[in-house]
Amino acid sequence: MNNTINDERAAFYQRIDKHNLMPLWEQLHNLVPRQPAGACQPALWSYKTLRPFLTESGDLISAEEAVRRVLVLENPALRGTASITSSLYAGLQMILPGEVAPSHRHSQSALRFVIEGRGAYTAVDGERATMEPGDFIITPSWTWHDHGNPPQLEGGEPVIWLDGLDIPIVRFFDAGFAENYEKPVQPISRPEGNSLARYGMNLLPVRHQATSHTSPIFSYPYARTREALETLLRHEEIDECDGVKLRYVNPATGGWPMPTIATFMQVLPRQFSGKTSRSTDATVYSVVEGRGTVWIADQRFDYEPRDTFVVPSWASLRFENQEECVLFSFSDRPVQQALGILRESR
Amino acid sequence: MNNTINDERAAFYQRIDKHNLMPLWEQLHNLVPRQPAGACQPALWSYKTLRPFLTESGDLISAEEAVRRVLVLENPALRGTASITSSLYAGLQMILPGEVAPSHRHSQSALRFVIEGRGAYTAVDGERATMEPGDFIITPSWTWHDHGNPPQLEGGEPVIWLDGLDIPIVRFFDAGFAENYEKPVQPISRPEGNSLARYGMNLLPVRHQATSHTSPIFSYPYARTREALETLLRHEEIDECDGVKLRYVNPATGGWPMPTIATFMQVLPRQFSGKTSRSTDATVYSVVEGRGTVWIADQRFDYEPRDTFVVPSWASLRFENQEECVLFSFSDRPVQQALGILRESR
Amino acid sequence: MNNTINDERAAFYQRIDKHNLMPLWEQLHNLVPRQPAGACQPALWSYKTLRPFLTESGDLISAEEAVRRVLVLENPALRGTASITSSLYAGLQMILPGEVAPSHRHSQSALRFVIEGRGAYTAVDGERATMEPGDFIITPSWTWHDHGNPPQLEGGEPVIWLDGLDIPIVRFFDAGFAENYEKPVQPISRPEGNSLARYGMNLLPVRHQATSHTSPIFSYPYARTREALETLLRHEEIDECDGVKLRYVNPATGGWPMPTIATFMQVLPRQFSGKTSRSTDATVYSVVEGRGTVWIADQRFDYEPRDTFVVPSWASLRFENQEECVLFSFSDRPVQQALGILRESR
Amino acid sequence: MNNTINDERAAFYQRIDKHNLMPLWEQLHNLVPRQPAGACQPALWSYKTLRPFLTESGDLISAEEAVRRVLVLENPALRGTASITSSLYAGLQMILPGEVAPSHRHSQSALRFVIEGRGAYTAVDGERATMEPGDFIITPSWTWHDHGNPPQLEGGEPVIWLDGLDIPIVRFFDAGFAENYEKPVQPISRPEGNSLARYGMNLLPVRHQATSHTSPIFSYPYARTREALETLLRHEEIDECDGVKLRYVNPATGGWPMPTIATFMQVLPRQFSGKTSRSTDATVYSVVEGRGTVWIADQRFDYEPRDTFVVPSWASLRFENQEECVLFSFSDRPVQQALGILRESR
């Protein structure tokens, strides 16, 4: 290709540019890459490092003023986008005794995974769920929700959880709406445990019609989840990559609890030296129990309880640990499955 | 219409008869009735009356010789068909301490609803479930299953349950197969509770693929079911026909536990005077707790715990009770829904 | 087993009989057979034999008096039940020029497969479909429908079609309702071809919501079906049992056109010597084109165009023909699949 | 709030920044907007303006060198992203007589909507479809595809079509893979029209199992689509916003032809003055027939055949036209529905 052609083409590109046109052939290899080539990087946030910042944030701003007092975990390669992976948001939220995080609703779906502290609640659609470490709680799309940490006899304690939201997804599709509730706290119309009794016991009300893409139970207590893991760990073959890994389920459909976010809990047995796997759904992990090592794209990360780490799309992933470890995780798998673009390799 | 025409027609009918032909117009009103016109009648089997017969059958035949020692409840209007409704079979099965009901499998799906006694088990596909009164247990289509009542330290007790099967359905569609297992008792490959831990805790194994029309959990313990009813009873509006009524669910799909039989549990509150309803799915009830009255097609039946009664298709149904009552029931609703022929009126 | 035991048992059976109880163990092998053991027999109805009876029926009764002037094809082993298989009904219906078969609706779903004649119509829900030989037409459950054969310039001709209904199924589940329309002919609100344009062109109205278990198109013209068979016959591998076999589809779901009846069209190539297959869905065939031989449960039947034959559940089936043959068929496959009891062997 | 607090917070933000942390409360209103606030703008590309650039591109680069000779339509507010909406890509592709666009496959799904010229083909998975103006053709995710314009007797003519791809979606989820075929042109294994005969005639092969999220027919000829529109236009109520609007269907499921892109065809009748509607799925339109006016977010655009225009998420949309107009369009509606975030207002 000689220079004349190059010059002619360049001139052409300039002329069409003002008509909002671009020559595909100059970009095709970038637009249709041979394999995932996103910016997202592996990273680990140490809870020991973060915890003092949370305390400090409690002095700098109240939950009510902040609306949500959250330190957002931004992927080092995606700074300025409030994203921990290209499609998902994660943050650590703290609520102090006596505080309320006021009621609102939005198109974005959210999960809460409790990290530390007892006594706070999340209220969804007229029902409260008390939050215990290890509990997984959903605040579904377009549902009124607020959080509170009522003062206890003994004064209470800060309660901290990991928030996971589909903020980047809803932003990408330009489909977000939001509203504040007229009061900070929504009225309670059903007693705690009602949703779980109604939908979570392998029974459903006889006239129940699914009207939402989200699970009708919004709290998955850790006690039950841990018991399930324990039973399977004692008696099952261990997957060579994942240990014993379960996914949370919408009991009214058998599908994912939320249409945009998959959630998982897994136990890695003692003395586990896992095999390598990859998947196109970048995944955020929160350590529930145990210390161990994870190799992500050949980088080593040592984790301990309450740490958060992120595995990018198609990055190689391998677990190694001496102690038994329990890991909560979430990803955009439901979307990739619905779109037919999920790919895995083991 | 004169006699000549009648005679001509009669002669014609006779001539075509030998060609396996029949004139529709003489039968149209019967074949396409204005509303359900089946033979099935309301009936109640009193446990007090039946119980001695079960005892007696224990003397007359062993579980092993009988294969299944069951007294079949035949609808009074369907004698000779082994049917309690046009489409369903019901019977009371007893197994004595030390007995085994040998392993086999068949196309027919079965439910077991435990009426009396403790200590027996049902084994399905390598896993046993201990049977307690009020438990609902499934032996799915084409799955090896056997029952046993191991001798206890104190000698044990007879265990009695209600069997519900789709025998008439599979017979009607001419699609039944059966096989005996090579030994009376199948080998056990998973510990008790494994299925419930794996599938019944609002979690699923991450790589689970539904491969069957039947629920992957085969035991729904009464303790959990009763707790759900209790929670809803305390806090909910009571349905004016049904009290608080739940349906059992296949947690991997949100659908029915079996493709042919729906199962329900309901509590009628104290001082309940229900409204009338009808449905085209004839339903078999087993009384779990409480004494009450049921009006079926304007006939009065007084029931007490462990009694069985049957409500025909489209018969009016009304409950009336002073005591709190708990009722288990089953019907062919999944089939009627799949076929688009279910009709209800309230 | 000695006589005493036998006598005791017999006495016991007699005593429990009056309580509507029956000992399962005496019937278990019949109730749970090792393989399908229904009464349904193979049979063929020769059109040459039947056609004169249809003519004769036209003299004996008018379509209006008969409501539906149909000669029902009763399985030789199921006489008196209006059934051609245990679950399905078939009959040949004739409508003469100038006649109307008055409008009614019922829970039963019906198919019409046109055998002979042109110029008649079936009206469904305000739209008419003109009937041509080879067309497959549906009158869905609980939909007003009537048939007519308007007098033509040249006088017109009798139009004859095969009716297939789920009458035995709806009767078995005791779920049938029926109503007559207030007038013989329902009003027409949409032009012919409207449903096919709206739903049958691989497009759907943008706000269409499926509200029925039945296909929104009710006419599948033979011209399109024959063209599809021809294209595949010329270029495809021929299935060694079935030749080229297609199933009719509900274009709004990809499922069966009706919830209770599957319909198929197949072409057997020239010089075809098929392999044996079996299936639990007993099937009714109507010969569209060609003469050939079919072996059913080792009985030979020679067929020609317009003949009807029936293959019982699990009977062996084998085709053999010199001429190219086209066969329409229907069975209860959708039900057996929904119930998880369909079994095939090839 | 005094300056001290502000200063303290600013200092805090700086300290946490290096730990990849960000205070949510400073960004919450941007991250969870009250309504869609994306950058995408309304725009129209006049074919009269573009056409000469396509001709010119034909002189500057061959289809083979370019792989795909496409001028990408970039949204004026999304320059540099190869996106016409936040989630979709569009471009005009030209192939000259004698040229081949070489075979490759990728995770991205593509649609081709033919704008001008005859005689070219798209080959998908061993079958070719000849391209006529108005035809809608799919090249599914991960399917080998190539295009060619074989030289004709008379020399042939350039063929131009609109490409629509989910490139931004697959990039956002970081899930794209691509491969080139070993030769420019894939081998042909099935004759043209085979897929349409097999899957597009309201029939399916009797043993067909859906194995893909994409329609098994990949060509929807304009002739059929236009006939459907015409039939409905003559006889139907016209929607006050949309005229007569149909969506293309996957005939094996009744769902969308592709998992990521919805496609529509609509006719606006003569003298149409439409009402305003909005939707969160930003939509790209290609004008097939007629001249008219469209108001997008209160901006007026006058269109004529072969023009392309884009309607952003939640922008108001209103049609006005004297001539009958036919419009093809596509959007990310299947994704928004699967995610439960689609919102419409009329």
Short mmCIF file of all heavy atoms in Angstrom, two decimals, chain D residues 224-243:
data_model
loop_
_atom_site.label_atom_id
_atom_site.label_comp_id
_atom_site.label_asym_id
_atom_site.label_seq_id
_atom_site.Cartn_x
_atom_site.Cartn_y
_atom_site.Cartn_z
N ARG D 224 -42.94 -11.45 1.89
CA ARG D 224 -43.87 -11.96 2.91
C ARG D 224 -44.21 -10.89 3.93
O ARG D 224 -45.36 -10.77 4.37
CB ARG D 224 -43.24 -13.14 3.64
CG ARG D 224 -43.54 -14.47 2.99
CD ARG D 224 -42.75 -15.56 3.63
NE ARG D 224 -43.56 -16.28 4.63
CZ ARG D 224 -43.25 -17.47 5.12
NH1 ARG D 224 -42.15 -18.08 4.71
NH2 ARG D 224 -44.01 -18.06 6.02
N THR D 225 -43.20 -10.16 4.37
CA THR D 225 -43.42 -9.14 5.40
C THR D 225 -44.37 -8.06 4.89
O THR D 225 -45.31 -7.64 5.58
CB THR D 225 -42.06 -8.51 5.79
OG1 THR D 225 -41.19 -9.56 6.20
CG2 THR D 225 -42.21 -7.51 6.90
N ARG D 226 -44.13 -7.63 3.64
CA ARG D 226 -44.95 -6.56 3.06
C ARG D 226 -46.39 -7.03 2.92
O ARG D 226 -47.33 -6.24 3.15
CB ARG D 226 -44.36 -6.19 1.69
CG ARG D 226 -44.94 -4.91 1.09
CD ARG D 226 -44.54 -3.73 1.94
NE ARG D 226 -45.08 -2.46 1.44
CZ ARG D 226 -46.27 -1.96 1.78
NH1 ARG D 226 -47.05 -2.63 2.61
NH2 ARG D 226 -46.66 -0.80 1.32
N GLU D 227 -46.57 -8.29 2.55
CA GLU D 227 -47.92 -8.84 2.38
C GLU D 227 -48.66 -8.85 3.73
O GLU D 227 -49.85 -8.52 3.81
CB GLU D 227 -47.80 -10.27 1.83
CG GLU D 227 -49.13 -10.94 1.53
CD GLU D 227 -48.94 -12.43 1.24
OE1 GLU D 227 -47.84 -12.81 0.75
OE2 GLU D 227 -49.87 -13.20 1.55
N ALA D 228 -47.95 -9.23 4.78
CA ALA D 228 -48.57 -9.23 6.11
C ALA D 228 -48.99 -7.83 6.51
O ALA D 228 -50.12 -7.60 6.97
CB ALA D 228 -47.61 -9.82 7.14
N LEU D 229 -48.10 -6.87 6.32
CA LEU D 229 -48.43 -5.48 6.67
C LEU D 229 -49.65 -5.00 5.89
O LEU D 229 -50.55 -4.36 6.44
CB LEU D 229 -47.25 -4.56 6.34
CG LEU D 229 -46.03 -4.61 7.26
CD1 LEU D 229 -44.93 -3.70 6.70
CD2 LEU D 229 -46.38 -4.18 8.68
N GLU D 230 -49.65 -5.32 4.60
CA GLU D 230 -50.73 -4.86 3.73
C GLU D 230 -52.07 -5.42 4.18
O GLU D 230 -53.06 -4.70 4.26
CB GLU D 230 -50.42 -5.32 2.29
CG GLU D 230 -51.28 -4.69 1.23
CD GLU D 230 -51.19 -3.17 1.22
OE1 GLU D 230 -50.09 -2.64 1.53
OE2 GLU D 230 -52.22 -2.52 0.94
N THR D 231 -52.10 -6.72 4.50
CA THR D 231 -53.34 -7.34 4.95
C THR D 231 -53.85 -6.67 6.22
O THR D 231 -55.05 -6.37 6.34
CB THR D 231 -53.11 -8.85 5.23
OG1 THR D 231 -52.57 -9.44 4.06
CG2 THR D 231 -54.40 -9.55 5.60
N LEU D 232 -52.95 -6.44 7.14
CA LEU D 232 -53.38 -5.85 8.41
C LEU D 232 -53.76 -4.38 8.24
O LEU D 232 -54.72 -3.90 8.85
CB LEU D 232 -52.29 -6.02 9.46
CG LEU D 232 -52.00 -7.49 9.79
CD1 LEU D 232 -50.88 -7.61 10.81
CD2 LEU D 232 -53.25 -8.19 10.29
N LEU D 233 -53.03 -3.68 7.38
CA LEU D 233 -53.34 -2.27 7.14
C LEU D 233 -54.75 -2.12 6.58
O LEU D 233 -55.50 -1.23 6.99
CB LEU D 233 -52.31 -1.70 6.16
CG LEU D 233 -52.47 -0.21 5.81
CD1 LEU D 233 -52.29 0.65 7.06
CD2 LEU D 233 -51.45 0.20 4.75
N ARG D 234 -55.12 -2.99 5.65
CA ARG D 234 -56.43 -2.87 5.02
C ARG D 234 -57.57 -3.09 6.00
O ARG D 234 -58.65 -2.55 5.85
CB ARG D 234 -56.57 -3.90 3.89
CG ARG D 234 -55.99 -3.42 2.55
CD ARG D 234 -56.58 -4.23 1.41
NE ARG D 234 -56.53 -5.66 1.67
CZ ARG D 234 -55.52 -6.46 1.32
NH1 ARG D 234 -54.48 -5.98 0.68
NH2 ARG D 234 -55.57 -7.74 1.61
N HIS D 235 -57.32 -3.93 7.02
CA HIS D 235 -58.47 -4.39 7.80
C HIS D 235 -58.43 -4.07 9.29
O HIS D 235 -59.38 -4.39 10.00
CB HIS D 235 -58.63 -5.90 7.61
CG HIS D 235 -58.74 -6.26 6.18
ND1 HIS D 235 -59.81 -5.92 5.41
CD2 HIS D 235 -57.89 -6.91 5.35
CE1 HIS D 235 -59.63 -6.35 4.17
NE2 HIS D 235 -58.47 -6.96 4.11
N GLU D 236 -57.35 -3.49 9.76
CA GLU D 236 -57.19 -3.41 11.20
C GLU D 236 -57.36 -1.99 11.72
O GLU D 236 -57.16 -1.04 11.01
CB GLU D 236 -55.78 -3.87 11.56
CG GLU D 236 -55.54 -5.31 11.36
CD GLU D 236 -56.54 -6.15 12.13
OE1 GLU D 236 -56.55 -6.07 13.37
OE2 GLU D 236 -57.30 -6.89 11.49
N GLU D 237 -57.61 -1.91 12.97
CA GLU D 237 -57.42 -0.64 13.66
C GLU D 237 -55.93 -0.29 13.62
O GLU D 237 -55.08 -1.14 13.84
CB GLU D 237 -57.83 -0.76 15.11
CG GLU D 237 -59.30 -0.51 15.31
CD GLU D 237 -59.66 -0.56 16.78
OE1 GLU D 237 -58.87 -0.05 17.59
OE2 GLU D 237 -60.70 -1.14 17.10
N ILE D 238 -55.69 0.98 13.40
CA ILE D 238 -54.33 1.47 13.34
C ILE D 238 -53.94 1.93 14.74
O ILE D 238 -54.70 2.64 15.39
CB ILE D 238 -54.28 2.67 12.36
CG1 ILE D 238 -54.85 2.29 11.00
CG2 ILE D 238 -52.87 3.22 12.24
CD1 ILE D 238 -54.19 1.13 10.33
N ASP D 239 -52.79 1.49 15.23
CA ASP D 239 -52.33 1.99 16.53
C ASP D 239 -52.05 3.48 16.40
O ASP D 239 -51.44 3.93 15.44
CB ASP D 239 -51.07 1.23 16.94
CG ASP D 239 -50.56 1.70 18.29
OD1 ASP D 239 -51.02 1.17 19.31
OD2 ASP D 239 -49.71 2.63 18.33
N GLU D 240 -52.46 4.26 17.39
CA GLU D 240 -52.38 5.71 17.25
C GLU D 240 -50.94 6.23 17.34
O GLU D 240 -50.68 7.36 16.92
CB GLU D 240 -53.27 6.40 18.28
CG GLU D 240 -53.01 5.96 19.70
CD GLU D 240 -54.00 6.58 20.69
OE1 GLU D 240 -55.03 7.12 20.23
OE2 GLU D 240 -53.71 6.55 21.89
N CYS D 241 -50.05 5.44 17.86
CA CYS D 241 -48.63 5.84 17.86
C CYS D 241 -47.85 5.20 16.71
O CYS D 241 -47.01 5.85 16.08
CB CYS D 241 -47.95 5.43 19.17
SG CYS D 241 -48.62 6.22 20.62
N ASP D 242 -48.11 3.92 16.48
CA ASP D 242 -47.21 3.09 15.67
C ASP D 242 -47.75 2.71 14.29
O ASP D 242 -47.05 2.04 13.52
CB ASP D 242 -46.95 1.74 16.38
CG ASP D 242 -46.20 1.90 17.68
OD1 ASP D 242 -45.43 2.86 17.80
OD2 ASP D 242 -46.39 1.06 18.57
N GLY D 243 -48.99 3.07 13.95
CA GLY D 243 -49.60 2.55 12.73
C GLY D 243 -49.80 1.04 12.89
O GLY D 243 -50.32 0.58 13.90
#
